[in-house]
Amino acid sequence: MLLVMGVLGVASLGLVARAFDLQVVQKQFYQTQGDARFLRVVPIPVSRGTIFDRNGEPLAVSTPMVSITCVPSEVLDNPDRIPALAQALGTSADDVKSFLEQRADREFTYLRRQMNPEAAQAALALGIPGVNGQREYKRYYPSGEVTAHVLGFTNIDDHGQEGLELAFDNWLAGKPGAKRVIRDRMGHIVEDVEQVHAPQPGQNLTLSIDRRIQFLAYSELKQQLQTLNADSGEMVIMDVHTGEILAMVSLPTYNPNAVTGSQPAQRRNRAVTDVVEPGSTMKPFTMAAGLSSGKYTPTAPLIDTGNGHWYFMGKDIRDVESGGNGMLTPTGVLTKSSNIGAAKIALSLDTKFLYDTYRAFGFGESTGSGFPGESSGLLRPGHTWRPIEKATIGYGYGLNVTPLQLAVAYATLADDGMMHTPTFIKGGGDEGKQVISSTIAHELVDMLETVTAPGGSATRAQIANYIVAGKTGTAHLASAGGYAKNNYNSLFAGIVPATHPRLVGVVVINNPKSSIYYGGLVSAPVFSSVMTGALRLLDVPPDNIGRWYAGGPLQAGGGLAGTAPPQNPQDDQSAVEAVEP
């Protein structure tokens, strides 16, 4: 008995010693080992900042979602539960099982990303070992395809991929937090231990875009593209005094709430990434150089455009007007959109001076808008121009511009020669820089008023009770070996109200497949319709109440009251312009 009691006593002392060793001496080691199995650091998701239009209307919001995660091996250990899980996920049991078997060696995988919280809760309520939920956020765009190209979209991890979502990703995204939690053997969180670092929600962003004007531009442009079966189209509307972009539309478009089904060509914001030869919309800047040189005034000298054909260096530079325009004032060159007149003015000027004037208006360089993927266009250095190239650049061939560049250039004319960097942020405009004298800018706007008056090439751009200044452009599409004979880009750039400019609008319609292709017939009516609504929405006072043009009063949407749009260019000679490349 003594021996037995001694053995038991020694054993008891050994157990006490071992317990002391485990609980006191090696406590930290075993605590660390236990924590490694049940203590986890998990992220604290944050909501991406909301994007608003200039009037406080939400354009992009983040909605809470739940992603279903799992430990594949634990789910596979309960094969009888897989069918119920698959049903809750909206898929087949075979697919779930195959998916898990391929990832059986992983400690973590997503079963379904960004589920509706109610549906996710139904899956979690099944209590399947190894299956857990993780809170996330998904981006939603209330305006859908109307603002798609401006806003862009985010990926599954809520990071910006295109447009302003990409440009301002750091501002909008915020910084996720982290917390230390204890999970049970099922993987469920049973206790929050501590916060490692606090989450920083994304900051909101208020854009210069006006959703109402954006919708007007989208709907009118879309209707015109469908009517003419055109390939694509763009429209940009700017505030001339601040450089704020009020609307920017590019078609074809896509639904940012369902990006997967779209094509890359649909997601491209053509207003900033694609370039066109500006055609006759370039002539006011050739004229700006002419006026700045002191060689020309709005009324003198007269320029001989002859019978509409001028042979220069083996090329026939033509005007469309039947029989030619004869002698034209510099203003008349713009009114009649004379290629010959513009070419002769360009050739009469010093090449470096002409090139520097074009560069001053921003051609050949990025506008600085900060929009991802913006093109700088193309304007080759003046010292490389041959005389024939100098002549053709004067009326809009041999250089490339984006619709946004064109809008900035016309806004410069409208704001007394002051150029502003375009901005998508409300209140983000700069003070601008003077690129031409205010006197010359005023003269050019006055000259451009004649383009929309009777006898000009853009009568369809007229707006009831407002004076419109602008310029049409119709340019052959470049093709392999030269220019396509029957494919065109149709443009119109306008300023309104011309006496106290507030808005500039640029419309580009690419390759209309119709007998109607002149900018004055294709793009100018879109400008008129959109700007009529924009001026009303912004409460811009009329500057032309009761004015009558020859032939009758102006009607809303452009043109003279009681007249129907022409069915082909020959029906409205005032809208016909020179397009020869």
Side-chain angles (χ1 to χ4, degrees):
M1 289 296 294
L2 289 175
L3 178 62
V4 171
M5 293 297 293
V7 171
L8 290 175
V10 171
S12 298
L13 289 174
L15 290 173
V16 171
R18 180 57 175 164
F20 180 82
D21 180 61
L22 293 175
Q23 297 295 327
V24 179
V25 178
Q26 299 191 55
K27 175 183 178 180
Q28 188 59 47
F29 171 77
Y30 287 108
Q31 185 69 53
T32 302
Q33 292 298 309
D35 289 347
R37 287 159 175 78
F38 295 101
L39 194 65
R40 293 287 186 270
V41 174
V42 297
I44 304 174
V46 293
S47 174
R48 193 173 176 86
T50 301
I51 300 178
F52 298 97
D53 86 334
R54 66 183 305 107
N55 300 310
E57 295 292 330
L59 300 177
V61 297
S62 289
T63 57
M65 308 294 280
V66 176
S67 290
I68 302 299
T69 68
C70 76
V71 180
S73 59
E74 293 187 20
V75 180
L76 290 171
D77 287 340
N78 297 272
D80 58 315
R81 310 295 300 276
I82 291 179
L85 176 62
Q87 183 178 5
L89 297 176
T91 185
S92 70
D94 290 340
D95 287 343
V96 172
K97 185 176 181 181
S98 174
F99 177 84
L100 294 173
E101 287 175 343
Q102 294 173 17
R103 295 160 177 80
D105 58 339
R106 298 185 184 181
E107 291 294 324
F108 170 91
T109 191
Y110 286 104
L111 279 174
R112 178 82 177 273
R113 295 294 296 270
Q114 298 183 345
M115 290 183 68
N116 180 285
E118 291 77 11
Q121 187 57 44
L124 295 173
L126 297 172
I128 300 174
V131 176
N132 298 288
Q134 178 177 302
R135 188 176 185 182
E136 293 185 314
Y137 289 90
K138 182 178 181 180
R139 209 61 161 162
Y140 174 67
Y141 303 94
S143 298
E145 60 185 23
V146 175
T147 54
H149 290 104
V150 174
L151 300 179
F153 56 91
T154 60
N155 63 8
I156 192 71
D157 294 316
D158 218 19
H159 294 301
Q161 300 298 293
E162 297 280 355
L164 298 182
E165 289 276 29
L166 173 60
F168 292 92
D169 190 52
N170 290 336
W171 177 270
L172 293 164
K175 295 182 179 179
K179 62 181 179 179
R180 189 169 284 109
V181 301
I182 294 177
R183 293 183 184 272
D184 62 16
R185 65 184 184 84
M186 306 287 287
H188 302 141
I189 295 175
V190 296
E191 182 183 349
D192 288 344
V193 177
E194 62 177 341
Q195 187 178 83
V196 179
H197 56 84
Q200 298 179 19
Q203 301 181 78
N204 296 336
L205 188 66
T206 300
L207 303 184
S208 59
I209 297 294
D210 189 314
R211 189 175 68 167
R212 304 166 301 173
I213 300 175
Q214 179 82 8
F215 180 78
L216 277 174
Y218 168 81
S219 58
E220 292 293 336
L221 186 62
K222 182 177 181 179
Q223 181 178 351
Q224 187 73 319
L225 261 61
Q226 291 174 343
T227 299
L228 302 174
N229 192 26
D231 289 347
S232 59
E234 304 86 50
M235 186 171 189
V236 178
I237 301 174
M238 285 182 59
D239 186 310
V240 303
H241 302 301
T242 65
E244 292 183 8
I245 298 171
L246 302 181
M248 177 179 284
V249 175
S250 178
L251 293 172
T253 185
Y254 67 99
N255 183 357
N257 298 306
V259 178
T260 305
S262 62
Q263 300 297 320
Q266 295 175 288
R267 301 194 295 267
R268 195 169 70 242
N269 187 352
R270 300 169 187 268
V272 295
T273 64
D274 286 19
V275 295
V276 297
E277 288 185 292
S280 296
T281 58
M282 192 66 185
K283 291 172 183 173
F285 307 104
T286 301
M287 192 66 67
L291 297 180
S292 299
S293 72
K295 293 183 177 182
Y296 297 89
T297 70
T299 57
L302 293 177
I303 300 166
D304 186 7
T305 64
N307 63 357
H309 293 268
W310 181 47
Y311 293 92
F312 179 71
M313 297 189 68
K315 179 176 177 61
D316 180 14
I317 298 177
R318 295 183 295 174
D319 290 343
V320 170
E321 189 75 24
S322 178
N325 294 298
M327 304 298 290
L328 291 175
T329 64
T331 297
V333 170
L334 293 181
T335 306
K336 297 297 184 181
S337 197
S338 171
N339 286 345
I340 296 173
K344 287 188 173 183
I345 291 173
L347 289 168
S348 71
L349 302 175
D350 176 73
T351 300
K352 184 178 185 304
F353 179 77
L354 183 62
Y355 171 77
D356 289 343
T357 301
Y358 292 152
R359 290 286 292 188
F361 280 100
F363 298 116
E365 60 184 4
S366 170
T367 66
S369 72
F371 196 91
E374 179 180 353
S375 171
S376 61
L378 176 65
L379 176 66
R380 293 189 299 104
H383 66 83
T384 67
W385 297 351
R386 296 175 299 158
I388 187 61
E389 291 170 327
K390 183 178 179 182
T392 58
I393 288 174
Y395 58 87
Y397 283 94
L399 77 161
N400 289 316
V401 303
T402 67
L404 179 58
Q405 283 180 317
L406 206 56
V408 170
Y410 273 82
T412 301
L413 297 179
D415 195 30
D416 299 331
M418 188 74 69
M419 174 179 280
H420 298 276
T421 301
T423 179
F424 291 90
I425 305 303
K426 183 180 180 179
D430 60 13
E431 296 181 355
K433 62 178 180 179
Q434 198 77 37
V435 298
I436 59 168
S437 74
S438 60
T439 300
I440 290 175
H442 274 291
E443 289 177 343
L444 283 165
V445 173
D446 290 342
M447 295 165 75
L448 290 173
E449 286 183 31
T450 67
V451 176
T452 64
S457 61
T459 59
R460 300 285 162 188
Q462 295 168 0
I463 299 174
N465 300 321
Y466 292 90
I467 300 175
V468 178
K471 187 71 190 75
T472 57
T474 309
H476 286 272
L477 287 175
S479 63
Y483 287 89
K485 183 177 180 180
N486 296 312
N487 301 96
Y488 304 89
N489 282 326
S490 306
L491 305 90
F492 180 79
I495 301 166
V496 66
T499 57
H500 298 91
R502 171 70 187 279
L503 302 177
V504 157
V506 170
V507 181
V508 180
I509 295 180
N510 309 111
N511 195 24
K513 299 176 182 64
S514 167
S515 59
I516 302 175
Y517 54 84
Y518 286 97
L521 299 177
V522 170
S523 297
V526 177
F527 172 91
S528 175
S529 297
V530 175
M531 290 306 200
T532 296
L535 292 167
R536 182 184 69 254
L537 290 169
L538 297 176
D539 292 326
V540 178
D543 64 342
N544 190 27
I545 296 177
R547 179 174 176 180
W548 287 56
Y549 280 146
L554 294 181
Q555 62 178 350
L560 301 176
T563 63
Q567 297 304 306
N568 59 67
Q570 288 70 34
D571 292 338
D572 186 359
Q573 287 299 321
S574 66
V576 175
E577 59 179 308
V579 297
E580 182 68 14

